[in-house]
């Protein structure tokens, strides 16, 4: 006897009859669940600093750093509006602190990075040690460490915040606390962590002070820049990345934070790079110079012209290529350590 021919109607009846039991058929969604290749909902996007800055300064008049707790304009992926996310796993924002202001001390399990975009002389304090911010410095706030920011200089200071907020939200593992004092007490002179850990040496008897996170709070720009300059001069230039270095946790050789990797690269004058793609979506902050990035994915192709202090995002598995006539320096961060921990990181260098 033949089985009755299943009709679309009978299937729909099945689906709706079992829906109250929170049951749903896999076969309707299987292909979307395991796509042949990553199909990020994110879009490539560019934020021109000259367009963003006036709104940051208006925010500076609209609310104090203390009232806001953190006065930040979130860089939201245009395809993820309302989610406080620049990629599915990462958060990015531009934070402003005006002369005389304090952003009060708190801590949370989310890890944060700061990349200084404009202005000098604000500080961030992490676990009793202050670090002065200068443009191009990369600064870390490890998970669950007390941190506050202040500006004792005469000019506004703006930095890029990169946090793993969507990742921690995904795992429902977020905790946060406010400190009892606005500014934490300083217990160590500035530069102590860099002296201990930042010279390819480490204390003879040490415990990693912040677990899986780097013990160095601040990676000063002048050192990174000097390394890139020397390599541009003295070593072969990569056809995809120009000269690109990753920041290290000196105690492990791995990324500075368990959830985020950070990079700085220099594209030499006249650079016309080959295309690449990688599973880790990446956020870029332009430090110096000008260039172009072409990003193609999900049926869309964008070419972004960028200059100093601009920001852009390249989503997972989008194909990108750089060009720079005058040369440029780019900072970037991504969720690569998570991909690597899960054994799912892939990249392709195309030609
Ligand atoms: C945070 O604590 C900071 O400490 C910046 O400066 C941005 C975004 C969401 C949640 C906490 C900071 C943040 C944040």
């Amino acid at each position: 006897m033949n089985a009755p021919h299943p009709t679309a109607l009978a299937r729909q009846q099945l689906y709706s009859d079992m829906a109250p039991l929170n049951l749903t058929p896999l076969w309707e969604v299987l292909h979307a669940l395991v796509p042949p290749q990553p199909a990020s909902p994110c879009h490539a996007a560019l934020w021109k600093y000259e367009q963003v800055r006036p709104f940051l300064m208006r925010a500076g008049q609209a609310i104090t750093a203390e009232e806001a707790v953190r006065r930040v304009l979130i860089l939201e992926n245009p395809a993820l509006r309302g989610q406080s996310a620049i990629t599915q796993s990462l958060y990015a924002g531009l934070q402003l602190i005006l002369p005389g202001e304090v952003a009060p001390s708190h801590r949370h399990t989310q890890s944060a990075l700061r990349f200084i975009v404009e202005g000098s002389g604000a500080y961030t304090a992490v676990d009793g040690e202050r670090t002065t911010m200068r443009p191009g410095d990369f600064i870390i706030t490890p998970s669950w460490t007390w941190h506050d920011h202040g500006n004792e200089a005469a000019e506004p200071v703006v930095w890029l915040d990169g946090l793993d907020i969507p990742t921690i939200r995904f795992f429902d593992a977020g905790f946060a606390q406010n400190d009892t004092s606005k500014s934490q007490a300083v217990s160590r002179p500035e530069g102590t962590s860099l002296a201990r850990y930042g010279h390819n040496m480490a204390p003879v008897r040490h415990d990693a002070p912040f677990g899986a996170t780097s013990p160095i709070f601040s990676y000063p720009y002048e050192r990174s820049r000097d390394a890139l300059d020397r390599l541009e001069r003295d070593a072969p230039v990569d056809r995809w990345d120009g000269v690109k270095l990753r920041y290290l946790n000196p105690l492990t050789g791995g990324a500075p934070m368990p959830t985020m990797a950070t990079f700085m690269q220099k594209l030499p004058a006249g650079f016309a790079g080959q295309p690449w793609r990688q599973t880790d979506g990446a956020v870029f902050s332009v430090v110096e110079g000008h260039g172009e990035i072409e990003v193609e994915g999900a049926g869309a192709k964008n070419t972004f012209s960028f200059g100093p202090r601009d920001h852009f995002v390249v989503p997972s598995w989008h194909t990108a290529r750089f060009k720079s006539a005058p040369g440029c320096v780019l900072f970037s961060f991504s969720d690569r350590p998570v991909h690597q921990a899960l054994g799912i990181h892939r990249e392709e260098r195309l030609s």
Side-chain angles (χ1 to χ4, degrees):
M1 203 176 80
N2 285 339
H5 185 67
T7 62
L9 207 62
R11 287 181 193 168
Q12 287 309 323
Q13 193 62 53
L14 167 66
Y15 304 167
S16 59
D17 288 350
M18 67 187 173
L21 292 183
N22 303 309
L23 295 169
T24 199
L26 170 63
W27 57 89
E28 294 287 349
V29 293
L30 183 58
H31 296 295
L33 287 182
V34 284
Q37 57 178 29
S40 174
C42 300
H43 293 172
L46 169 73
W47 290 265
K48 296 293 288 180
Y49 196 64
E50 66 189 29
Q51 294 182 322
V52 173
R53 191 179 190 278
F55 291 107
L56 265 175
M57 295 306 145
R58 267 172 69 180
Q61 311 215 299
I63 192 164
T64 63
E66 195 173 341
E67 192 189 349
V69 181
R70 298 296 185 259
R71 188 203 287 115
V72 181
L73 300 186
I74 303 176
L75 306 181
E76 277 197 325
N77 194 287
L80 303 177
R81 294 305 306 273
Q83 296 184 41
S84 306
I86 190 160
T87 68
Q88 296 263 71
S89 59
L90 297 172
Y91 159 103
L94 288 170
Q95 181 160 176
L96 167 68
I97 187 157
L98 294 169
E101 288 191 317
V102 168
S105 179
H106 68 188
R107 64 177 176 177
H108 36 74
T109 46
Q110 291 82 357
S111 296
L113 67 86
R114 330 281 171 194
F115 185 72
I116 318 311
V117 167
E118 175 186 341
S120 277
Y123 67 83
T124 186
V126 172
D127 209 41
E129 185 175 332
R130 280 188 183 180
T131 297
T132 302
M133 298 174 158
R134 297 182 191 83
D137 292 352
F138 158 53
I139 293 173
I140 294 179
T141 308
S143 172
W144 206 241
T145 53
W146 297 111
H147 56 283
D148 52 85
H149 319 299
N151 186 350
E152 295 170 351
E155 54 185 359
V157 174
V158 175
W159 63 84
L160 171 70
D161 284 315
L163 287 91
D164 54 8
I165 286 176
T167 302
I168 303 303
R169 183 166 60 199
F170 178 78
F171 290 113
D172 289 333
F175 294 87
Q177 276 181 345
N178 289 322
D179 208 343
T180 47
S181 61
K182 255 195 331 187
S183 297
Q184 60 184 294
V186 173
S187 61
R188 277 170 285 136
E190 174 159 4
T192 304
S193 74
L194 196 64
R196 278 209 179 103
Y197 299 101
H199 295 83
N200 295 317
M201 303 179 90
V204 177
R205 284 168 214 90
H206 71 262
D207 290 318
F210 306 114
T213 301
S214 172
I216 301 178
F217 304 133
S218 176
Y219 296 72
Y221 183 50
E222 60 178 354
R223 289 186 170 201
S224 321
R225 178 65 207 262
D226 181 56
L228 295 176
D229 286 347
R230 284 168 193 271
L231 292 171
E232 177 186 357
R233 205 177 53 220
D234 301 334
V237 170
D238 185 82
R239 290 195 294 132
W240 292 266
D241 294 333
V243 179
K244 186 171 185 178
L245 296 173
R246 63 185 175 97
Y247 291 86
L248 286 187
N249 174 343
L251 297 181
T252 63
M257 286 155 288
T259 47
M260 292 183 284
T262 49
F263 307 87
M264 190 168 274
Q265 73 195 102
K266 189 166 185 210
L267 307 181
F271 186 77
Q274 303 289 308
W276 47 269
R277 57 183 174 175
Q278 57 190 35
T279 51
D280 49 324
V283 179
F284 289 79
S285 181
V286 183
V287 193
E288 297 182 52
H290 289 82
E292 276 184 10
I293 183 168
E294 194 182 280
V295 189
E296 192 171 3
K301 186 168 176 172
N302 292 287
T303 301
F304 299 141
S305 290
F306 56 75
R309 301 169 177 166
D310 292 345
H311 293 84
F312 55 89
V313 57
V314 179
S316 167
W317 217 241
H318 282 46
T319 300
R321 90 163 76 196
F322 282 116
K323 278 194 189 137
S324 178
C328 61
V329 180
L330 307 172
F331 171 84
S332 59
F333 71 98
S334 80
D335 57 358
R336 187 174 301 185
V338 182
H339 294 235
Q340 291 174 326
L342 299 178
I344 55 166
H345 187 254
R346 287 202 201 185
E347 64 175 340
E348 276 181 3
R349 315 186 98 204
L350 310 160
S351 53

